[in-house]
Structure formats: structure tokens, C-alpha cells
Amino acid sequence: MSDNEIAKQSQSLPSINIHAEHEGVAIGYTDSVNTTLNVVLVDGKKSPLSKDYYALLMGYDPFEKDYVLVSKDRALTEYIQNDVKTKFSDLTPEAITAIKEIPAVISCEADGTKSQQAVFAFIKDIRIQENGIKVYFQKYFPFPYSILRTYQQELALHLFEYTRTHWTIKNVDLIEVLQDAGVFPGR
């Protein structure tokens, strides 16, 4: 099995416990009956995870590097509600802090294969450069890309987003959708 493949488990899935602490990102995982997945966010404060939004970076290979370079004209400019765009797109220090508290999905554009994977991640840093916006992320685990298609409506994805390289933020609870999809156990 390669690094970007996952095995489907028929046993109980891990429970998830998410919180923020200090400047590091850590994840605890044990492969037992009472499996726990702990995610520690990078924000320097003990602020709670925002479950109101998720970031989508579509058209980028999440297995290649720990960052992507997003063209400025495709960063928080399309497939985004106006109120969400107003809240995040200026990339002020406050907006960047808020973005670091939301989960993310990173994926290549649809390739038509059944083995394609997306990645559950958190954004660690955002740097505005002359040639684009560099978005650094901490990936936690891959999951089947087919979940993005199956849960298209629940994830507020538009049909053309699957073949359009862009970065957007959706006003959707990603954790809840992934729980419904069986990636995380239910509440």
C-alpha cells in the first residue's frame, strides 16, 4: 500500500477529539478498540475548532509537498458566499488566525480513477507573495475522493469545482459530513 492509499476498516472507526494548544500540530492515534484521534491546531491559543467552515484547496496534489501556491485570482474569489468572502478574503492577521482554526480538504482535480484520494488537513500558515499565495498545511490522513462526489450537496460543492483549480471556504461543518460518510465515527 502506498502513502496515499487507505484501507477500509470494518471495525469501529476512531473517535475524534479536536482542540487547539500552543504553536505545534500534533495528532495522537492508537489502533485499538477505543481508538482516539486527537488534533492539536496551530494558533498559539486554546481556542476551539471552528466547525462552521471548511477550506477546500482543489487542483493541488496534497502528497507532493506541505504547501501549495495558489494564484491570487483563484484564492477565495470563486465558489464562495459573499459573507464568507468578506470574512476571510482580505487575509488580515485575524482572518488568517480564523482560517487556521478550520479543517481543510486538499485534492487534485477529478482524475476519474477509483483510487483517487483527498486529504483531511489544517492550514498552518499563509504567506502572500508576489507570485501568489503560499498555503502551508498539515495533512492528517487521506480519504477516498469519491466522498467529495457522494456528499456533493452536503459539502456545498458545485459541479464545476471538481475540475477547477481554486481555494475556497465553505460555510459547512466538514467534521459532521465526514462522520456521516463514515470517515469519523458519529457523535
Side-chain angles (χ1 to χ4, degrees), residues 6 9 11 16 18 24 31 55-56 62 73 76 85 94 97 106 115 126 137 140-141 143 162 167 186:
I6 59 174
Q9 295 180 353
Q11 302 169 349
I16 185 166
I18 301 176
D31 192 16
L56 174 69
D73 65 339
L76 306 174
K85 184 176 181 178
E94 296 79 19
T97 297
I106 304 164
S115 63
I126 298 169
F137 56 88
Y140 287 93
F141 55 85
F143 63 90
Y162 298 104
W167 171 29

Side-chain angles (χ1 to χ4, degrees), residues 34-46:
N34 294 319
T35 307
T36 300
L37 172 68
N38 293 307
V39 179
V40 180
L41 303 178
V42 179
D43 76 348
K45 297 181 247 166
K46 291 188 176 187

Side-chain angles (χ1 to χ4, degrees), residues 43-105:
D43 76 348
K45 297 181 247 166
K46 291 188 176 187
S47 56
L49 165 74
S50 171
K51 292 176 76 176
D52 295 328
Y53 304 96
Y54 80 94
L56 174 69
L57 290 128
M58 181 62 74
Y60 304 97
D61 185 347
F63 303 104
E64 190 175 275
K65 303 174 193 157
D66 66 348
Y67 68 87
V68 296
L69 184 62
V70 181
S71 173
K72 289 180 182 179
D73 65 339
R74 300 226 182 159
L76 306 174
T77 59
E78 52 193 62
Y79 303 108
I80 187 169
Q81 292 178 325
N82 286 333
D83 60 328
V84 177
K85 184 176 181 178
T86 300
K87 180 175 179 146
F88 295 109
S89 67
D90 288 343
L91 295 176
T92 62
E94 296 79 19
I96 290 171
T97 297
I99 290 169
K100 290 178 184 179
E101 294 174 355
I102 63 176
V105 171

Side-chain angles (χ1 to χ4, degrees), residues 76 109 136:
L76 306 174
E109 292 179 7
Y136 292 85

